[in-house]
Amino acid sequence: MMLFAALILAALAGAFALRSALFPSRAVHFEADDGLLRIGNDKYEIAFSDENGGITYVQDEASGKRLTAGNRQGALWWGILQDESSVSSVRNAPFSYSWNAKRAALALHYGGQLQVDVTASFDRTNRIVLEAAVVNGTKETIQSFRFPYELKFAADDVVDGMLPMLPGAKLKPAFFTEGNAYAGQYPGVMFASYTALRTKNGNLALYDIGGKPTATTQLGFKNQTDDAGKSAFVHDYSIWTMPGGKWQSPAVVLEVGGDYPDSIGSYRTLNGIDAYRSVDDKLDAEKAHAAGLPLYKLDIAALGRETWTSLESTIVDKLPYSGIVHLVGFQTGGHDENYPDFVPPAEQWGSMDDFKAFIEHAKTKGSQVVPYTNFSWWGVHSPTLAGLPDGVALADIVVQQQNGEMLKEDYGEHSGYVMNLNHPFVTSRIAKEHERLLEAGVDGIFEDQWGIRNAPFAANSGAPNTDPWSAYFEGVRNYFDSLNTRMYTEDGTDVLADDSIGFMGTNYLWDLLGYRKNTASYTDYYPLAGMLLRDKVLLYQHDLAAETMTDNKDMLRWNVAMGYNLSGDLYTGVNNPWIDVIGVFQKYVLADYADARVRSYDAIDATTTRTDFGTHTVIANWDTEKPYSLDEQTTLSAGGFEASAESGTVRAGSYIRYNGFDLDPGEHLLAEVRGKRDIRIYQPLGADTTLRVKTMAGWKHAAAAAYTADGSKIADIPVAEQGDWLQADYIASILGKRTAYIAFASADQASAVKDVPFKKTKSSVNAALKHEADSSTDANAELTADLAVDGDPFTYWESLGNRFPQSITVDLGRSQKVGRVVLKLPPMDAWESRDQSILIEGSDDGEQFKAIIPKQTYTFDPAKENTVEIRLGGLSSRYVRLVIDGNTAWPAAQVSELEVYGE
């Protein structure tokens, strides 16, 4: 009893010290009445049961309405033992409480098998802090402590709920009313120990004030099968407290009222994230340059025939804009083999000296080189594991699970072990590989998995004073904290933001891949990460996944609205126009505020949002069918957006009306950059168009010219002056050169440029774009007919092999003039020249087809961008069908784009 009393006093002293730091002043009322212990101030009221300490309700005083309906089964906490038996606060006797008016603290005392002291602290703010000190008096190990246990609320009252899956998953009300449940682990799937609700009666956030070691926690929401119409917060700690042992919970905060940005700000401050090193601190003088670099994935193994030397001329020298060159698959054995042995690279790509020369060459061109590594997961066939030194056993350096087995993970045909980062051999071996990469000249290192892997149970961790559930991630935190290298990691966890340069990944990818089926269809994404830590770490999409590379307008809009940097895959070479798009938008638009925290994210209407970055604002039109008018001067395209600087120096987005002038038909991704001496208009993707911009103050007249990406002038172009407006044609190709931008500059005389040997190319509308397409067969679930009408020439439809003839049909939506068909395959040398035999048919009803163009053989030549144009004669048809019965380079039908034009 004396030991228990001492533990209680120690716990209370710690709680009071924390409370004093959090709450500088107090104005709290307390009353015990009608079986309840009511505590509150002018922000909230909370009631506990005087029989067992369970939370009966939490009330928002601003609305005067209750936000919660008590803990499940009235239990404030619930302990799960190793033998799967349990002890809860309603089954643990004796129970007593005491109120300390001077400290505004309620102490709840539980005797019995689990001796638990809960302290609830209060003050003038809208925050309630709960802490639990546990002494295990049972004969079993405690494996889970659920606290507060399933705090319930009415599903019908929910406006939306927030889960911390990057960048933030805002759950629609149907998730709750339809009786769903989902919980994920922090650290791991969840990047912060934070959940929150917006309800019709007010708002409530539940989060932890963490420390070291990081507590492993299950977070989420769960429908209540024994209480119809109710859902609840899930907040369960994974612990490993043996008989006679003790455990102290983190401080758990219930924050009442305020919107998501308010409670996210509280979480940031109380967890010390605002004191983390900033991106400015980490990058210093290089920050401005680094922020302007998109991520370019360069998988040398996927390219196959390249070497380090050839890549200098075929990739690096041809990049229109410098970037972060992310090297993948360069080690012996290729991707997901031989980890942690990354250098020297595989011999087929060249020598170590060639590798170093490539890195140096990329850096002289303004790029940075950051290789992919995975030091958390060592390949079963790696040289390192095959030659462990004397005294180092595999069972010691690999994470040992609860069942005693070593933790092994398989990815396709590749197998590896999850490493125990608390073992000195593991950390020393990784340090050696880091040293080799840094000596080769890399600018930083990406490490896979450590920012997304659910922290495993590590029985053999060797970490002192740390239980097996927190030991693995404690090793990760210590490892990141010890490095001077610029580190990037897959996805990311809040506490790693202090020592990381970049987090790479989002839950958006996992939803696309079907990993989060319980939440995907209910999720609206929200920039929680942007509010919490964007000033501390740069945010990117996944470094490897094709699904979230910025190669379409939807992905571009998502990234700009959520505050993410842009990325592309160099597997398709540098001629892909999206490489230009991400280069322009990253360098000239996003770089200026790449590390600015999101201040707010609001719905303008059902399909339009506004993201406030302080110095910049993004308006996003999520409706991919209808344009959105910002005002009389500006209309965003369907699925378009605008990013603009408060200073007026930058304005960029996807438009159909710009500066009060209707642009020519077609897509227009524009960036207007206003410098001290000129006004530049970039259109990295879009149809030729006439456009106008406002002149600069003090300009008497203006001249205009077109330039390449490196600033070389192509030609002077005509410019018309209309009051305060300047007007010119943006022509994508002039005199055989690609226009990167046109620039207006001050001039003493009106432009004398008149007749020029280049004119706008009239834009034609592709009637098949994003329309319904069907095929006779698909090679697999990834190569479907809809990819032939998605507007991206690098995605393609392919039929089953060796089963000619095959067909693909597009529904134009109505009968209309069909003047020509343009057929494409990916414009890459890897898609070598091939002939396909094609019959073109048309139909008005989708049932009866007749030949428009009889079967002919067409050659797809990569030297001509693998494009074939076929004139149809201007017949009317609603359905256009290709029947393909031969392909000289592959035993299947293949089409990356089926485009239909009226003229």
Side-chain angles (χ1 to χ4, degrees):
M1 287 299 294
M2 291 182 66
L3 173 62
F4 183 46
L7 288 170
I8 292 173
L9 290 173
L12 287 172
F16 294 150
L18 174 63
R19 185 172 60 255
S20 297
L22 293 176
F23 303 142
S25 61
R26 303 177 181 85
V28 177
H29 68 260
F30 169 83
E31 62 178 350
D33 178 56
D34 197 24
L36 297 177
L37 309 174
R38 294 189 180 92
I39 305 101
N41 58 22
D42 59 351
K43 309 292 194 308
Y44 62 79
E45 181 173 274
I46 185 171
F48 299 85
S49 166
D50 66 2
E51 291 187 359
N52 55 42
I55 297 173
T56 304
Y57 64 80
V58 177
Q59 180 168 298
D60 186 343
E61 291 295 82
S63 67
K65 296 181 179 180
R66 294 182 180 180
L67 306 179
T68 70
N71 298 109
R72 185 179 184 183
Q73 298 183 19
L76 179 62
W77 56 263
W78 204 291
I80 309 299
L81 306 181
Q82 189 178 6
D83 65 358
E84 299 301 329
S85 63
S86 63
V87 180
S88 78
S89 59
V90 295
R91 301 177 186 172
N92 218 43
F95 167 75
S96 63
Y97 70 87
S98 60
W99 170 252
N100 187 316
K102 184 177 180 181
R103 298 183 180 274
L106 176 68
L108 307 174
H109 312 286
Y110 300 88
Q113 293 178 294
L114 293 186
Q115 301 165 22
V116 179
D117 258 310
V118 173
T119 304
S121 305
F122 312 89
D123 85 328
R124 293 180 182 273
T125 72
N126 62 338
R127 295 189 293 265
I128 303 161
V129 176
L130 305 174
E131 297 171 275
V134 181
V135 177
N136 186 5
T138 76
K139 296 181 180 180
E140 294 285 339
T141 297
I142 308 171
Q143 62 177 345
S144 175
F145 191 78
R146 302 174 181 183
F147 172 72
Y149 179 59
E150 297 190 19
L151 190 57
K152 299 187 294 182
F153 49 86
D156 285 342
D157 288 342
V158 175
V159 174
D160 45 54
M162 187 67 64
L163 290 179
M165 298 187 286
L166 281 169
K170 188 176 72 171
L171 300 178
K172 300 173 184 177
F175 174 86
F176 302 95
T177 57
E178 294 176 7
N180 291 284
Y182 181 79
Q185 184 178 299
Y186 169 83
V189 168
M190 304 297 187
F191 78 93
S193 192
Y194 167 96
T195 51
L197 281 177
R198 292 198 292 198
T199 80
K200 299 172 185 176
N201 300 327
N203 304 329
L204 179 66
L206 191 160
Y207 56 85
D208 283 353
I209 303 173
K212 292 195 73 175
T214 301
T216 300
T217 315
Q218 293 292 319
L219 302 169
F221 300 108
K222 180 181 179 182
N223 68 303
Q224 299 294 286
T225 55
D226 57 355
D227 193 353
K230 300 292 195 307
S231 186
F233 286 95
V234 174
H235 193 258
D236 304 341
Y237 296 106
S238 295
I239 64 174
W240 198 249
T241 305
M242 303 182 77
K246 57 185 178 180
W247 177 79
Q248 174 69 48
S249 79
V252 183
V253 179
L254 294 174
E255 184 163 323
V256 181
D259 203 352
Y260 293 139
D262 301 304
S263 55
I264 293 167
S266 297
Y267 180 89
R268 170 185 163 94
T269 301
L270 296 177
N271 279 287
I273 295 172
D274 55 347
Y276 285 2
R277 289 182 298 150
S278 68
V279 173
D280 266 332
D281 293 335
K282 296 169 186 175
L283 295 177
D284 198 23
E286 296 181 43
K287 182 264 184 106
H289 174 66
L293 302 177
L295 176 77
Y296 297 132
K297 175 189 171 187
L298 181 57
D299 187 338
I300 189 171
L303 294 173
R305 293 174 291 188
E306 298 283 1
T307 64
W308 298 119
T309 303
S310 68
L311 284 175
E312 293 179 12
S313 58
T314 61
I315 297 293
V316 174
D317 291 347
K318 292 183 178 180
L319 280 172
Y321 303 96
S322 54
I324 298 173
V325 180
H326 185 51
L327 299 180
V328 179
F330 57 90
Q331 76 276 11
T332 301
H335 186 62
D336 277 352
E337 280 294 327
N338 287 343
Y339 306 163
D341 300 276
F342 285 89
V343 284
E347 292 182 356
Q348 66 258 45
W349 318 129
S351 67
M352 189 66 183
D353 285 341
D354 294 332
F355 180 60
K356 293 179 179 179
F358 168 82
I359 294 171
E360 180 59 28
H361 185 73
K363 293 167 74 170
T364 63
K365 295 294 183 177
S367 289
Q368 295 183 348
V369 179
V370 175
Y372 168 98
T373 70
N374 190 342
F375 292 127
S376 74
W377 179 84
W378 292 6
V380 294
H381 305 301
S382 70
T384 294
L385 291 186
L388 292 176
D390 292 341
V392 176
L394 186 65
D396 294 330
I397 63 175
V398 175
V399 167
Q400 186 181 101
Q401 300 175 88
Q402 192 171 338
N403 61 8
E405 295 182 1
M406 292 185 291
L407 182 53
K408 185 179 178 185
E409 294 177 348
D410 297 330
Y411 298 97
E413 60 185 8
H414 307 282
S415 295
Y417 293 106
V418 177
M419 304 310 296
N420 172 15
L421 204 58
N422 293 293
H423 195 284
F425 174 75
V426 174
T427 53
S428 63
R429 179 67 189 86
I430 296 172
K432 182 62 177 177
E433 205 71 3
H434 269 225
E435 182 182 345
R436 291 174 177 173
L437 287 166
L438 293 169
E439 287 175 351
V442 301
D443 298 278
I445 295 174
F446 169 87
E447 296 202 9
D448 203 28
Q449 295 189 292
W450 271 331
I452 184 61
R453 176 185 281 118
N454 281 343
F457 184 96
N460 61 332
S461 72
N465 304 314
T466 308
D467 77 27
W469 270 115
S470 56
Y472 175 86
F473 197 74
E474 183 68 0
V476 172
R477 286 189 69 174
N478 290 336
Y479 169 67
F480 272 74
D481 190 50
S482 69
L483 295 172
N484 293 317
T485 311
R486 292 177 179 172
M487 295 299 303
Y488 301 77
T489 186
E490 183 183 20
D491 280 47
T493 300
D494 56 357
V495 295
L496 298 183
D498 194 16
D499 300 300
S500 300
I501 296 294
F503 287 174
M504 294 184 178
T506 63
N507 194 60
Y508 182 44
L509 171 65
W510 311 127
D511 284 347
L512 290 173
L513 296 176
Y515 290 5
R516 310 276 190 266
K517 293 181 179 179
N518 283 32
T519 60
S521 62
Y522 299 101
T523 295
D524 287 325
Y525 302 99
Y526 187 92
L528 190 164
M531 295 177 182
L532 187 64
L533 43 74
R534 193 170 182 264
D535 58 331
K536 309 301 181 183
V537 63
L538 299 173
L539 302 175
Y540 302 82
Q541 288 288 349
H542 199 276
D543 62 305
L544 301 181
E547 291 83 355
T548 50
M549 292 294 169
T550 314
D551 57 10
N552 59 76
K553 187 169 65 175
D554 291 340
M555 195 71 256
L556 178 61
R557 179 188 65 249
W558 195 102
N559 286 334
V560 175
M562 293 294 138
Y564 272 68
N565 295 306
L566 309 179
S567 53
D569 195 332
L570 295 177
Y571 175 71
T572 59
V574 299
N575 292 325
N576 182 346
W578 283 96
I579 296 298
D580 292 85
V581 171
I582 66 176
V584 166
F585 274 79
Q586 188 66 51
K587 183 174 183 178
Y588 296 110
V589 183
L590 302 181
D592 285 346
Y593 64 105
D595 61 340
R597 281 178 62 209
V598 175
R599 294 187 178 184
S600 63
Y601 180 74
D602 302 302
I604 296 174
D605 58 31
T607 58
T608 316
T609 59
R610 180 181 187 274
T611 316
D612 180 4
F613 294 91
T615 58
H616 292 69
T617 300
V618 174
I619 306 296
N621 175 21
W622 300 92
D623 189 333
T624 58
E625 302 295 328
K626 298 178 182 178
Y628 177 79
S629 293
L630 290 176
D631 50 43
E632 292 182 355
Q633 296 288 311
T634 309
T635 301
L636 306 180
S637 66
F641 67 93
E642 179 177 81
S644 59
E646 189 178 67
S647 64
T649 55
V650 174
R651 185 178 173 208
S654 177
Y655 305 93
I656 61 174
R657 182 174 175 82
Y658 190 72
N659 287 332
F661 190 86
D662 290 337
L663 303 176
D664 290 27
E667 188 67 68
H668 299 285
L669 286 173
L670 299 175
E672 178 180 332
V673 183
R674 302 178 75 89
K676 293 181 179 179
R677 297 181 179 178
D678 65 4
I679 305 168
R680 296 186 182 189
I681 304 291
Y682 294 82
Q683 183 176 255
L685 180 67
D688 290 356
T689 186
T690 301
L691 51 78
R692 68 177 184 175
V693 298
K694 198 161 191 177
T695 188
M696 288 271 208
W699 284 12
K700 187 175 181 181
H701 295 285
Y707 296 84
T708 60
D710 65 3
S712 300
K713 182 191 284 191
I714 303 172
D716 293 314
I717 61 175
V719 55
E721 300 179 16
Q722 301 172 350
D724 290 338
W725 298 98
L726 306 174
Q727 184 169 299
D729 288 343
Y730 194 107
I731 301 173
S733 180
I734 296 177
L735 303 178
K737 295 182 179 180
R738 186 169 184 174
T739 303
Y741 63 92
I742 62 173
F744 299 90
S746 177
D748 292 331
Q749 303 293 328
S751 174
V753 180
K754 300 297 181 185
D755 296 324
V756 291
F758 43 84
K759 299 294 181 183
K760 284 191 303 181
T761 300
K762 184 178 179 181
S763 176
S764 298
V765 177
N766 174 14
L769 182 64
K770 304 243 177 120
H771 279 252
E772 183 178 346
D774 294 309
S775 54
S776 50
T777 66
D778 299 328
N780 54 48
E782 283 74 45
L783 301 176
T784 54
D786 60 301
L787 298 178
V789 292
D790 66 353
D792 183 351
F794 295 97
T795 62
Y796 62 96
W797 162 71
E798 182 174 299
S799 72
L800 287 172
N802 298 303
R803 295 191 186 179
F804 290 113
Q806 294 289 334
S807 67
I808 181 170
T809 306
V810 60
D811 179 0
L812 304 180
R814 60 179 176 82
S815 183
Q816 56 187 288
K817 185 179 179 181
V818 178
R820 60 189 173 99
V821 165
V822 176
L823 304 179
K824 297 179 180 179
L825 291 177
M828 303 162 55
D829 290 342
W831 282 72
E832 69 273 16
S833 181
R834 68 199 64 202
D835 295 337
Q836 295 197 74
S837 298
I838 304 172
L839 163 68
I840 303 180
E841 297 180 327
S843 171
D844 286 328
D845 60 7
E847 299 291 336
Q848 301 297 319
F849 283 83
K850 61 182 179 181
I852 299 176
I853 298 293
K855 182 175 72 174
Q856 296 185 30
T857 298
Y858 300 95
T859 299
F860 294 82
D861 183 353
K864 299 178 180 179
E865 296 187 331
N866 274 333
T867 298
V868 169
E869 182 173 313
I870 306 168
R871 294 285 174 177
L872 303 183
L875 299 174
S876 290
S877 186
R878 173 173 174 172
Y879 298 87
V880 176
R881 173 182 289 173
L882 309 181
V883 181
I884 304 173
D885 73 355
N887 184 344
T888 58
W890 197 253
Q894 297 169 312
V895 178
S896 69
E897 284 300 300
L898 165 53
E899 300 175 355
V900 180
Y901 298 94
E903 298 179 359

